[in-house]
Amino acid sequence: MMSRLTLWLTLLTYAEIIVVALGSLILHDTRGHSSVNKRASSTVSQPVIWQDLADIEIIRVNDTFYYSASTMAYSPGAPILRSTDLQNWEYIGHSVPSLDFGSSYNMTDGNTAYVKGIWASSLKYRPSNGQWYWIGCIEFANTYVYTASSPTGPWIKHATFEGTCYYDCGLVFDEHDTPQVAYGSTNIQVATLSSDLTSQVSNTVVYTYDKYVEGSRFYYINGYYYILGVAPGAAVEYVIKSSSPTEGYTGGNIVANAPSCPVSNGGAPHQGGIVDDPQGNWYYMAFCDAYPGGRIPVLASITFDDDDFPVLSDVNSWPSTVEVPLDQDVLSSPTGTDKFSGASLGPQWEWNHNPDETAFDVNDGLTLRAATVTDSLYQARNTLTHRILGPVSVATIEIDFSDLQSGDRAGLAMFRDVSGWIGIIKTDKSAQISVWKNITMNSAWTTNSIGALETSKDISETSVFLRASADIRPGGDATAQFSYSTDGSSFTDLGTTFAMNTTWEFFMGYRFGIFNFATESLGGSVNINSFDLALGA
Ligand SMILES: *[C@@H]1O[C@H](CO)[C@@H](O)[C@H](O)[C@H]1NC(C)=O
Ligand SMILES: *[C@@H]1O[C@H](CO)[C@@H](O)[C@H](O)[C@H]1NC(C)=O
Ligand SMILES: *[C@@H]1O[C@H](CO)[C@@H](O)[C@H](O)[C@H]1NC(C)=O
Ligand SMILES: *[C@@H]1O[C@H](CO)[C@@H](O)[C@H](O)[C@H]1NC(C)=O
């Protein structure tokens, strides 16, 4: 099977994009308390949410929309967000609680799984039994099914299809409630599964494109089966349809012909999903490549043409806003202060790989005990990551480092294949607040360079606020500035700006990462009292 990486290397030629208005995000003052008033209808501005949430599956159950996305090696994987108005989304859980796909996902044998793990996968609700299902292929090898009776979980591994890869799959429950899975590239296949989704009954090639197409999304709408697919380099979205799930597909019609991203300098929206609202209006939500921030969702209205194929009102252009006859609901805000209250992390958090559960506690604050002795941030377990909010956002942690040991390093990173951080370097004699840069991965996504210290200064306090201000606009500066404060209000820049890598090969965008690792021996710990995320200028 052709590797997606190889293909994208040869095909990726995104058109440069002309301007449309930048999306505006709804601002909220305090976490969990929306300042949005209820209205009879609303306008969705672009991007829908400026966060890295690629390989969209969007579904609706009753009045609520649900969104699932790829997370590669981040754990837990496949986040679920919900919305009632298609604009405001909140994280409610993850379909894959732990990446139980081999020891490299635990980093326990020194191996890592960056860029592997959860790629395009599918989330569906089954009305006949009230169960939610997630299905995805890992590393071109095995397919896994997870299930839950509520999208918030608990999710459990339900089945493993050993040696069967439903690459880039979409799940549908057909008119007889039989699970069908569309998957593959160019030769689009449909597998019929047993009713309990534990085995394959049959599979067949249902359509062959004359070009490379992948990213299947599968629907049953008004008596027709629809399979969407994308030519990724060209960013053209195609659709085929049939009255049978397993044969007779025709079409290859164009849903969206590489329209310009409504976010300036973003790549053309592609590889999306379609959904209707309770009033029967249809939408297509796709993502724009927007590095260094990752792949961000945008929304468009669609109609069904005379032959019942879904299509943008103008296949070549994307609207800058979309009117939706939907009430806005009160959802938790992406901005605000997380004090790590309660005993577990909120569903917006994901670790760099499966965490060492014995090395952290959430108890009105987050305690990170060093989990790995290493010189490389990339080999360290238990780096806790948070998506960056575009276009510019500011993350601030309050860190108490009185329990660090000599050799420990803890702080706030700009985390990706080229990383840097602001943090504490502890030695026998002192603690120094430091900026460390040029941490890089090689093409096998393991450590190329552990980087180097740019600057440091002694700090006599045992607690400090660390900040990263990140500008992730595509085509923009792609820089972050690190700073620190001892009082939480007056911040001092440390080091020169950090330059983010804007290439796409790592797929996932930059994240804020909270880390603590040991270079000498385990035993040290830090307390993270808060994480604050604010939109920047
Ligand atoms: C959808 O609404 C129906 C009717 O009110 C209800 O029985 C069902 O539980 C709802 N489904 C979900 C997943 O909320
Ligand atoms: C990974 O760690 C989890 C516990 O965190 C454990 O249940 C699982 O067996 C480990 N997997 C491998 C392959 O070591
Ligand atoms: C990082 O790499 C750049 C380019 O090679 C170099 O100019 C800079 O000095 C390096 N920074 C550190 C802290 O080593
Ligand atoms: C940015 O990433 C690309 C692709 O992984 C890599 O080839 C390039 O060397 C990186 N740039 C830097 C400055 O490391």
Side-chain angles (χ1 to χ4, degrees), residues 385-450:
T385 72
H386 194 289
R387 286 174 186 76
I388 296 174
L389 188 60
V392 180
S393 62
V394 180
T396 309
I397 61 169
E398 185 186 3
I399 178 170
D400 179 330
F401 53 91
S402 43
D403 292 329
L404 280 185
Q405 287 188 168
S406 181
D408 292 352
R409 292 164 188 188
L412 179 64
M414 290 293 300
F415 192 82
R416 203 180 178 237
D417 54 341
V418 175
S419 297
W421 52 257
I422 183 167
I424 303 298
I425 296 182
K426 186 77 173 69
T427 64
D428 273 342
K429 296 178 197 62
S430 70
Q432 295 202 307
I433 182 161
S434 311
V435 166
W436 191 280
K437 285 188 183 159
N438 293 355
I439 310 161
T440 58
M441 290 187 190
N442 57 29
S443 56
W445 310 117
T446 59
T447 306
N448 174 56
S449 168
I450 64 163

Side-chain angles (χ1 to χ4, degrees), residues 23 35 66 112 144 172 205 213 217 240 409 432 438 486 503 525 527 537:
S35 57
Y66 298 90
T112 57
Y144 298 87
V172 83
V205 174
V213 171
R217 286 284 164 255
I240 53 177
R409 292 164 188 188
Q432 295 202 307
N438 293 355
T486 50
T503 53
S525 67
N527 287 309

Side-chain angles (χ1 to χ4, degrees), residues 46-184:
Q46 314 277 18
V48 172
I49 178 170
W50 198 322
Q51 289 188 25
D52 185 24
L53 290 162
D55 304 339
I56 296 161
E57 176 89 281
I58 182 170
I59 62 173
R60 179 176 60 82
V61 180
N62 294 343
D63 291 341
T64 306
F65 301 95
Y66 298 90
Y67 182 157
S68 173
S70 292
T71 33
M72 302 213 161
Y74 289 106
S75 176
I80 304 170
L81 296 87
R82 86 170 152 218
S83 175
T84 56
D85 63 4
L86 294 166
Q87 174 86 80
N88 296 285
W89 291 86
E90 69 177 358
Y91 291 87
I92 59 167
H94 288 85
S95 297
V96 181
S98 178
L99 309 186
D100 195 4
F101 311 137
S103 61
S104 62
Y105 292 89
N106 284 9
M107 285 186 170
T108 38
D109 53 6
N111 292 329
T112 57
Y114 294 110
V115 189
K116 297 176 180 172
I118 291 173
W119 292 9
S121 52
S122 188
L123 172 75
K124 286 288 162 72
Y125 174 69
R126 187 183 206 175
S128 67
N129 66 358
Q131 290 292 112
W132 299 72
Y133 293 89
W134 177 93
I135 182 167
C137 165
I138 306 299
E139 291 185 40
F140 302 105
N142 304 320
T143 297
Y144 298 87
V145 177
Y146 285 72
T147 186
S149 54
S150 159
T152 56
W155 284 83
I156 53 156
K157 190 193 267 185
H158 175 74
T160 302
F161 291 67
E162 206 72 56
T164 297
C165 175
Y166 297 139
Y167 175 76
D168 272 13
C169 63
L171 171 68
V172 83
F173 292 97
D174 74 9
E175 79 265 49
H176 308 297
D177 194 40
T178 300
Q180 309 279 359
V181 179
Y183 68 99

